[in-house]
Protein backbone atom coordinates (compact mmCIF):
# COMPACT_ATOMS: atom_id res chain seq x y z
CA UNK A 1 0.00 0.00 0.00
CA UNK A 2 1.29 3.48 -0.93
CA UNK A 3 1.10 6.24 1.66
CA UNK A 4 1.76 9.98 1.36
CA UNK A 5 2.97 11.75 4.47
CA UNK A 6 3.44 15.48 5.13
CA UNK A 7 3.48 18.02 7.95
CA UNK A 8 4.37 21.59 8.76
CA UNK A 9 7.19 22.52 11.15
CA UNK A 10 5.00 22.06 14.24
CA UNK A 11 4.69 18.34 13.60
CA UNK A 12 7.96 17.73 11.76
CA UNK A 13 9.37 15.42 14.45
CA UNK A 14 6.16 13.42 14.70
CA UNK A 15 6.04 13.13 10.90
CA UNK A 16 9.59 11.75 10.85
CA UNK A 17 8.71 9.28 13.61
CA UNK A 18 5.59 8.07 11.78
CA UNK A 19 7.42 7.86 8.45
CA UNK A 20 9.96 5.47 9.94
CA UNK A 21 7.22 3.47 11.63
CA UNK A 22 5.26 3.12 8.38
CA UNK A 23 8.33 2.10 6.39
CA UNK A 24 9.22 -0.49 9.05
CA UNK A 25 5.64 -1.76 8.85
CA UNK A 26 6.07 -2.42 5.12
CA UNK A 27 4.28 0.55 3.52
CA UNK A 28 5.66 2.41 0.53
CA UNK A 29 5.92 5.96 1.84
CA UNK A 30 6.31 9.21 -0.11
CA UNK A 31 7.32 12.18 2.05
CA UNK A 32 6.04 15.57 0.83
CA UNK A 33 7.90 17.53 3.53
CA UNK A 34 8.52 19.68 5.39
CA UNK A 35 12.10 18.70 6.00
CA UNK A 36 13.02 20.63 9.16
CA UNK A 37 11.45 22.48 12.08
CA UNK A 38 11.90 25.82 10.31
CA UNK A 39 8.58 27.67 10.14
CA UNK A 40 6.48 26.96 7.02
CA UNK A 41 2.80 27.30 6.02
CA UNK A 42 0.68 24.17 6.53
CA UNK A 43 -1.60 24.76 3.47
CA UNK A 44 1.41 24.20 1.17
CA UNK A 45 1.95 20.71 2.59
CA UNK A 46 -1.75 19.89 2.73
CA UNK A 47 -1.92 20.80 -0.96
CA UNK A 48 1.02 18.60 -1.99
CA UNK A 49 -0.23 15.63 -0.01
CA UNK A 50 -3.87 16.11 -1.02
CA UNK A 51 -3.02 16.26 -4.72
CA UNK A 52 -0.98 13.07 -4.48
CA UNK A 53 -3.91 11.18 -2.93
CA UNK A 54 -6.57 12.76 -5.17
CA UNK A 55 -4.59 11.78 -8.29
CA UNK A 56 -4.22 8.19 -6.97
CA UNK A 57 -0.43 8.46 -6.90
CA UNK A 58 -0.84 7.00 -3.42
CA UNK A 59 -3.68 5.19 -1.65
CA UNK A 60 -3.94 7.22 1.57
CA UNK A 61 -2.45 10.28 3.21
CA UNK A 62 -1.10 10.90 6.71
CA UNK A 63 -1.05 14.66 7.29
CA UNK A 64 0.01 16.58 10.39
CA UNK A 65 0.20 20.09 11.76
CA UNK A 66 0.28 21.36 15.35
CA UNK A 67 -3.40 20.79 16.05
CA UNK A 68 -4.39 19.04 12.82
CA UNK A 69 -7.08 21.68 12.33
CA UNK A 70 -5.45 23.92 9.74
CA UNK A 71 -4.10 21.01 7.71
CA UNK A 72 -7.50 19.29 7.61
CA UNK A 73 -9.31 22.49 6.57
CA UNK A 74 -6.79 23.01 3.77
CA UNK A 75 -6.74 19.39 2.56
CA UNK A 76 -10.53 19.27 2.37
CA UNK A 77 -10.46 22.07 -0.24
CA UNK A 78 -8.93 19.64 -2.71
CA UNK A 79 -11.40 17.80 -4.91
CA UNK A 80 -11.58 14.12 -4.02
CA UNK A 81 -10.09 14.53 -0.55
CA UNK A 82 -11.94 13.45 2.55
CA UNK A 83 -9.52 14.42 5.31
CA UNK A 84 -10.48 13.46 8.86
CA UNK A 85 -8.89 15.00 11.94
CA UNK A 86 -8.47 12.02 14.26
CA UNK A 87 -7.20 12.56 17.78
CA UNK A 88 -7.54 8.94 18.85
CA UNK A 89 -7.96 5.51 17.22
CA UNK A 90 -11.76 5.25 17.41
CA UNK A 91 -12.09 8.45 15.38
CA UNK A 92 -9.84 6.90 12.72
CA UNK A 93 -11.89 3.70 12.69
CA UNK A 94 -15.15 5.60 12.19
CA UNK A 95 -13.58 7.96 9.65
CA UNK A 96 -12.87 4.91 7.48
CA UNK A 97 -16.04 2.92 8.25
CA UNK A 98 -18.53 5.77 7.82
CA UNK A 99 -16.80 8.56 5.89
CA UNK A 100 -14.44 6.64 3.62
CA UNK A 101 -11.78 9.19 4.60
CA UNK A 102 -8.67 9.02 2.45
CA UNK A 103 -6.46 11.29 4.59
CA UNK A 104 -5.95 10.96 8.34
CA UNK A 105 -4.92 14.22 9.98
CA UNK A 106 -3.11 14.29 13.33
CA UNK A 107 -2.25 17.02 15.81
CA UNK A 108 1.47 16.67 16.38
CA UNK A 109 1.48 19.08 19.31
CA UNK A 110 -1.53 17.47 20.99
CA UNK A 111 -0.90 13.77 20.58
CA UNK A 112 1.78 11.44 21.91
CA UNK A 113 3.77 9.10 19.68
CA UNK A 114 1.88 5.95 20.69
CA UNK A 115 -1.54 7.52 20.11
CA UNK A 116 -0.38 8.75 16.69
CA UNK A 117 0.86 5.26 15.81
CA UNK A 118 -2.32 3.52 17.00
CA UNK A 119 -4.50 6.08 15.21
CA UNK A 120 -2.67 5.63 11.91
CA UNK A 121 -2.73 1.83 12.30
CA UNK A 122 -6.48 1.86 12.85
CA UNK A 123 -7.00 4.15 9.87
CA UNK A 124 -4.96 1.99 7.48
CA UNK A 125 -6.51 -1.27 8.66
CA UNK A 126 -10.21 -0.41 8.59
CA UNK A 127 -12.48 -0.78 5.56
CA UNK A 128 -15.30 1.50 4.43
CA UNK A 129 -18.68 -0.06 5.30
CA UNK A 130 -20.54 1.25 2.24
CA UNK A 131 -24.35 0.81 2.31
CA UNK A 132 -26.08 3.85 3.77
CA UNK A 133 -22.70 5.50 4.25
CA UNK A 134 -22.02 5.37 0.51
CA UNK A 135 -25.11 7.50 -0.12
CA UNK A 136 -23.86 10.09 2.36
CA UNK A 137 -20.33 10.12 0.97
CA UNK A 138 -21.81 10.55 -2.53
CA UNK A 139 -23.64 13.63 -1.23
CA UNK A 140 -20.33 15.02 0.06
CA UNK A 141 -18.80 14.43 -3.37
CA UNK A 142 -21.71 16.32 -4.97
CA UNK A 143 -20.84 19.35 -2.85
CA UNK A 144 -17.61 19.59 -4.83
CA UNK A 145 -19.56 20.46 -8.02
C1 LIG B 1 1.68 26.47 13.43
O1 LIG B 1 2.14 27.31 14.44
C2 LIG B 1 0.25 26.02 13.75
O2 LIG B 1 -0.61 27.10 13.63
C3 LIG B 1 -0.17 24.90 12.82
O3 LIG B 1 0.70 23.83 12.98
C4 LIG B 1 -1.55 24.31 13.03
O4 LIG B 1 -1.76 23.96 14.36
C5 LIG B 1 -2.65 25.07 12.43
O5 LIG B 1 -3.83 24.67 12.46
Amino acid sequence: MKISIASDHAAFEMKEFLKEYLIESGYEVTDYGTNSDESVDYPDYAEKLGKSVASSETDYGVLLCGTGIGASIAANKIKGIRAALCLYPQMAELARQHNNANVVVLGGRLMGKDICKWTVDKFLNTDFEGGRHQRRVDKITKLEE
Side-chain angles (χ1 to χ4, degrees):
M1 192 185 282
K2 292 182 183 173
I3 308 295
S4 298
I5 195 164
S7 76
D8 71 353
H9 57 287
F12 168 67
E13 267 186 39
M14 190 66 85
K15 189 257 292 174
E16 292 297 298
F17 168 76
L18 288 174
K19 181 172 72 178
E20 288 314 309
Y21 174 66
L22 289 168
I23 291 169
E24 276 168 23
S25 304
Y27 294 100
E28 195 180 317
V29 181
T30 307
D31 183 353
Y32 288 90
T34 187
N35 298 315
S36 77
D37 56 13
E38 192 179 314
S39 183
V40 292
D41 298 333
Y42 57 80
D44 297 334
Y45 297 89
E47 180 184 5
K48 288 180 202 188
L49 178 135
K51 286 185 172 168
S52 75
V53 176
S55 66
S56 301
E57 243 167 81
T58 60
D59 301 299
Y60 294 105
V62 177
L63 178 63
L64 304 96
C65 68
T67 59
I69 296 171
S72 53
I73 291 171
N76 277 314
K77 299 291 180 193
I78 295 166
K79 197 170 180 180
I81 292 303
R82 289 176 302 280
L85 173 56
C86 298
L87 299 179
Y88 47 89
Q90 198 190 359
M91 292 178 78
E93 186 171 36
L94 288 164
R96 290 288 309 129
Q97 287 175 337
H98 289 194
N99 313 115
N100 201 13
N102 49 15
V103 175
V104 61
V105 190
L106 308 166
R109 283 180 174 159
L110 305 179
M111 300 164 75
K113 285 183 175 170
D114 282 344
I115 290 288
C116 280
K117 237 167 56 172
W118 298 332
T119 302
V120 169
D121 275 341
K122 194 54 100 175
F123 188 84
L124 297 177
N125 290 290
T126 304
D127 291 328
F128 179 49
E129 282 180 357
R132 68 188 187 283
H133 301 298
Q134 182 65 61
R135 184 180 68 242
R136 294 160 186 169
V137 171
D138 289 344
K139 288 187 178 186
I140 294 174
T141 303
K142 273 196 113 184
L143 293 173
E144 294 176 338
E145 287 165 14

Coordinates of all heavy atoms in Angstrom, one line a residue, residues 1-6 15 19 22-23 27-33 48-49 52 57-58 60-62:
M1 N 0.8 -1.2 0.0 CA 0.0 0.0 0.0 C 0.9 1.3 0.0 O 1.9 1.3 0.7 CB -0.9 0.0 1.3 CG -2.0 1.0 1.2 SD -2.9 1.1 2.8 CE -4.0 -0.3 2.6
K2 N 0.5 2.2 -0.8 CA 1.3 3.5 -0.9 C 0.7 4.6 -0.1 O -0.5 4.9 -0.2 CB 1.3 3.9 -2.4 CG 2.1 3.0 -3.3 CD 2.1 3.6 -4.7 CE 2.7 2.6 -5.7 NZ 2.6 3.0 -7.0
I3 N 1.5 5.2 0.7 CA 1.1 6.2 1.7 C 1.9 7.5 1.4 O 3.1 7.5 1.3 CB 1.4 5.8 3.1 CG1 0.8 4.4 3.4 CG2 0.9 6.8 4.1 CD1 -0.6 4.3 3.4
S4 N 1.1 8.7 1.3 CA 1.8 10.0 1.4 C 1.8 10.5 2.8 O 0.9 10.3 3.5 CB 0.9 11.0 0.6 OG 0.8 10.6 -0.8
I5 N 2.9 11.2 3.1 CA 3.0 11.8 4.5 C 3.5 13.2 4.3 O 4.3 13.5 3.4 CB 3.9 10.9 5.4 CG1 3.6 11.3 6.9 CG2 5.3 10.9 5.0 CD1 4.2 10.3 7.9
A6 N 3.0 14.1 5.2 CA 3.4 15.5 5.1 C 3.1 16.2 6.4 O 2.1 15.7 7.1 CB 2.8 16.2 3.9
K15 N 6.1 13.6 12.3 CA 6.0 13.1 10.9 C 7.2 12.2 10.6 O 7.1 11.1 10.1 CB 6.0 14.3 9.9 CG 5.7 13.9 8.5 CD 7.0 13.9 7.6 CE 7.5 15.3 7.4 NZ 8.8 15.2 6.7
K19 N 6.9 8.3 9.7 CA 7.4 7.9 8.4 C 8.2 6.6 8.7 O 8.0 5.6 8.0 CB 8.3 9.0 7.8 CG 8.9 8.6 6.5 CD 9.5 9.8 5.8 CE 10.8 10.2 6.5 NZ 11.5 11.3 5.8
L22 N 6.0 3.7 9.5 CA 5.3 3.1 8.4 C 6.2 2.3 7.5 O 5.8 1.3 6.9 CB 4.6 4.3 7.6 CG 3.4 4.9 8.3 CD1 2.9 6.2 7.7 CD2 2.2 3.9 8.4
I23 N 7.4 2.8 7.3 CA 8.3 2.1 6.4 C 8.7 0.7 7.0 O 8.6 -0.3 6.4 CB 9.6 2.9 6.2 CG1 9.3 4.2 5.3 CG2 10.7 2.1 5.5 CD1 10.3 5.2 5.2
Y27 N 5.0 -0.3 4.5 CA 4.3 0.6 3.5 C 5.3 1.2 2.6 O 6.4 1.5 3.0 CB 3.5 1.6 4.3 CG 2.3 1.0 5.1 CD1 2.4 0.8 6.4 CD2 1.1 0.7 4.4 CE1 1.4 0.3 7.2 CE2 0.0 0.2 5.2 CZ 0.2 0.0 6.5 OH -0.9 -0.5 7.2
E28 N 4.8 1.6 1.4 CA 5.7 2.4 0.5 C 5.3 3.9 0.8 O 4.2 4.3 0.6 CB 5.3 2.0 -0.9 CG 6.3 2.5 -1.9 CD 5.9 2.1 -3.3 OE1 5.5 0.9 -3.5 OE2 6.0 2.9 -4.2
V29 N 6.2 4.6 1.3 CA 5.9 6.0 1.8 C 6.6 7.0 1.0 O 7.8 7.0 0.7 CB 6.4 6.1 3.3 CG1 6.0 7.5 3.9 CG2 5.8 5.0 4.2
T30 N 5.8 8.0 0.6 CA 6.3 9.2 -0.1 C 6.2 10.4 0.8 O 5.1 10.7 1.3 CB 5.6 9.5 -1.4 OG1 5.5 8.3 -2.2 CG2 6.2 10.6 -2.2
D31 N 7.3 11.1 1.1 CA 7.3 12.2 2.0 C 7.3 13.5 1.3 O 8.2 13.8 0.5 CB 8.6 12.1 2.8 CG 8.7 13.2 3.9 OD1 7.9 14.1 4.0 OD2 9.7 13.1 4.7
Y32 N 6.2 14.3 1.5 CA 6.0 15.6 0.8 C 6.5 16.7 1.7 O 6.1 17.9 1.4 CB 4.6 15.7 0.4 CG 4.2 14.8 -0.7 CD1 3.7 13.5 -0.5 CD2 4.4 15.2 -2.1 CE1 3.5 12.7 -1.6 CE2 4.2 14.4 -3.1 CZ 3.7 13.1 -2.9 OH 3.4 12.2 -3.9
G33 N 7.3 16.5 2.7 CA 7.9 17.5 3.5 C 7.0 17.9 4.7 O 6.0 17.2 4.9
K48 N 0.2 19.6 -1.3 CA 1.0 18.6 -2.0 C 0.5 17.2 -1.7 O 0.4 16.3 -2.6 CB 2.5 18.7 -1.5 CG 3.2 19.9 -2.0 CD 4.6 19.9 -1.5 CE 5.2 21.3 -1.5 NZ 6.6 21.5 -1.2
L49 N 0.2 17.0 -0.4 CA -0.2 15.6 0.0 C -1.6 15.3 -0.6 O -1.9 14.3 -1.1 CB -0.3 15.5 1.5 CG -0.8 14.2 2.0 CD1 0.1 13.7 3.2 CD2 -2.2 14.3 2.5
S52 N -1.5 14.4 -4.2 CA -1.0 13.1 -4.5 C -2.0 12.0 -4.2 O -2.1 11.0 -4.9 CB 0.3 12.8 -3.6 OG -0.1 12.6 -2.3
E57 N -1.9 8.8 -7.0 CA -0.4 8.5 -6.9 C -0.2 7.6 -5.7 O 0.7 6.7 -5.7 CB 0.3 9.8 -6.7 CG 1.3 10.2 -7.7 CD 1.7 11.6 -7.5 OE1 2.6 11.8 -6.7 OE2 1.1 12.5 -8.1
T58 N -0.9 7.8 -4.6 CA -0.8 7.0 -3.4 C -2.3 6.7 -3.0 O -3.2 7.2 -3.5 CB -0.1 7.7 -2.3 OG1 -0.8 8.9 -1.9 CG2 1.3 8.0 -2.6
Y60 N -3.4 6.4 0.4 CA -3.9 7.2 1.6 C -2.9 8.2 2.0 O -1.7 8.1 1.7 CB -4.2 6.3 2.8 CG -5.3 5.3 2.6 CD1 -5.1 4.0 2.3 CD2 -6.7 5.8 2.6 CE1 -6.1 3.1 2.1 CE2 -7.7 4.9 2.4 CZ -7.4 3.5 2.2 OH -8.4 2.6 1.9
G61 N -3.4 9.3 2.7 CA -2.4 10.3 3.2 C -2.4 10.3 4.7 O -3.5 10.1 5.4
V62 N -1.3 10.6 5.3 CA -1.1 10.9 6.7 C -0.5 12.3 6.8 O 0.6 12.6 6.3 CB -0.1 9.9 7.4 CG1 0.1 10.3 8.8 CG2 -0.6 8.5 7.2

